Amino acid sequence: MKKIFKLLMAVVMALPVNVAVASDYAHYYQNLPVELRKATPVSVPDRMVRLTDFGAVGDGLTLCTEAFERAIAALSAEGGGRLVVPQGVWLTGPIVLKSNIDLHVEKNAIVYFSPDKTLYADKENPKASRVMACISATRCKNIMITGEGIIDGNGAQWRPVKRSKVSDVEWKRFKAMGGVERQNGSLWYPWDMKAGYANVAETPEKQESRRNDLFRVHHCENIMLTGVTFQNAPKFHVHPFNSRNIIIDGITVRCPWNAQNGDAIDLSDCHQALIVNCTVDAGDDGLCMKSGDAKTGTDINGCEDILIENNTVYHAHGGFVIGSEDVMGMRRIVVRNCRFAGTDVGLRFKSAIGRGGVTRDIYISDIVMTDITGDAISFQCDYVNRTAGAKAGDTAKEQKLEKVPEFTDIHISNIVSRGSRNAITASGIEGQNCVHGITVDNSVFVYTDKGENIDTKTAEVKLSGVKMVKEGN
């Protein structure tokens, strides 16, 4: 008996460190309005090293890029494991993850990305349109970022700033960093900064277009992000591409409300994802689904089988967003039990000719919203993507009638919204069936301007059991 017990204990001890959470997420998939392929937890081998074992110093001064690289390489050579980042401020350039790695950032640890833009140049692809992401991975499996620490992209060194979006005090702080003003002082670029680091493009505008994401992975499988804070990205914060089986649980994403293109959590062409218990306060879209053109060498195109539940979004251009690119389509997405407090739009569906595809089988329920500055619900089919320097009057160039957006089979229910400017705004494109099969049921909207702001010539939205009250009446 003792031999059997010892054998069982040996087997248990040999199991991956995270196997104990294997059933923790099954309860989220109960009582769904549509069947979804489930996202399953990720685990790595029960092996651990500390960043300090590889020469890193958490003094906020010593550059730790090579220490991260050596630690990840050493773990990878042994089959993977956990890299612990202990208390300290760890200054670093880009971090490239490999399969079977858990980057564990402890509570009082801050991974702080260097303001030296030259560190992010892609040496393997010098003609790349963008620099390397702060944290990246390509064609890997079993990637984790866990803990309670902070990952800071130092985005003020990259992002342009619109004068109209900051106070006098903030504007003086930006100018004190160096930089250059454009458009009669209405726009500031982080160029020729006083810190002395070199620029990485010929002009401020070209450098702006090369901005990187904080976490960006391509063609990966089994991704798990839990507990950590992602903040101050140069561009987007959490951005998986063409990837499968993703769990994002209990992370915080934050940046200034006016951060240009400061999207929080964007899934681009991803399958089987679960986003739960997260807090977002960002400069652009909050929880966003995107889809570009089909990518060769992968079967993961479009967004499908995604569950989003129990999240809080404070500032964002939209609480839950689809678009503006949805070329390969959206299918089987469930959003429920979320809170939006202070977003520009609550539920936002945006696309345009040349950027569109079919979005269907979307179920959104039990959402509460307050202080929405624009629309509680919005469907838009003429979205124009403008860069920081674009003028307000700029419009999209005339395009061929292809990649036309179609929003259909979208069911929204049990919404309580107070304080939006408009309740429901929807418009399509004349001659095209862009917005149809939309239902909104059993909901209450308290608004200040318009209730049903729906272009009935181009958009079909059916309301049932919906109460709309203009505030002050």
Side-chain angles (χ1 to χ4, degrees), residues 174-246:
F174 283 114
K175 291 175 66 175
M177 295 166 59
V180 62
E181 295 179 57
R182 289 285 194 264
Q183 299 185 5
N184 297 319
S186 64
L187 190 63
W188 177 88
Y189 286 96
W191 178 261
D192 288 340
M193 301 291 274
K194 289 182 180 179
Y197 297 109
N199 302 310
V200 291
E202 295 82 10
T203 67
E205 292 79 6
K206 288 183 179 180
Q207 183 166 273
E208 188 273 335
S209 70
R210 300 195 69 195
R211 282 187 292 153
N212 53 357
D213 294 337
L214 184 49
F215 173 83
R216 181 183 175 101
V217 297
H218 292 262
H219 308 295
C220 290
E221 188 169 345
N222 307 336
I223 302 161
M224 194 164 181
L225 311 177
T226 64
V228 294
T229 294
F230 293 85
Q231 68 179 29
N232 291 326
K235 196 170 185 181
F236 297 169
H237 288 77
V238 175
H239 198 188
F241 263 83
N242 298 100
S243 295
R244 174 185 284 120
N245 194 44
I246 302 163

Side-chain angles (χ1 to χ4, degrees), residues 375-396:
D375 305 314
I377 300 173
S378 173
F379 290 87
Q380 179 185 9
C381 297
D382 60 352
Y383 178 80
V384 178
N385 187 36
R386 296 187 177 92
T387 60
K391 298 178 182 178
D394 290 350
T395 57

Side-chain angles (χ1 to χ4, degrees), residues 239-258:
H239 198 188
F241 263 83
N242 298 100
S243 295
R244 174 185 284 120
N245 194 44
I246 302 163
I247 293 177
I248 303 175
D249 179 10
I251 70 169
T252 298
V253 182
R254 60 187 296 269
C255 68
W257 74 270
N258 47 27

Side-chain angles (χ1 to χ4, degrees), residues 251-254 262-265 275 277-288 308-321 335-347 367-372:
I251 70 169
T252 298
V253 182
R254 60 187 296 269
D263 285 28
I265 301 174
I275 303 174
N277 310 315
C278 297
T279 300
V280 166
D281 194 347
D284 209 309
D285 292 331
L287 309 169
C288 184
I308 298 172
E309 184 166 349
N310 194 32
N311 302 288
T312 301
V313 182
Y314 294 109
H315 185 271
H317 285 187
F320 171 74
V321 181
V335 184
R336 60 186 185 181
N337 299 316
C338 293
R339 299 156 297 282
F340 306 151
T343 62
D344 292 349
V345 178
L347 304 172
I367 309 295
V368 295
M369 311 183 203
T370 56
D371 300 324
I372 308 300

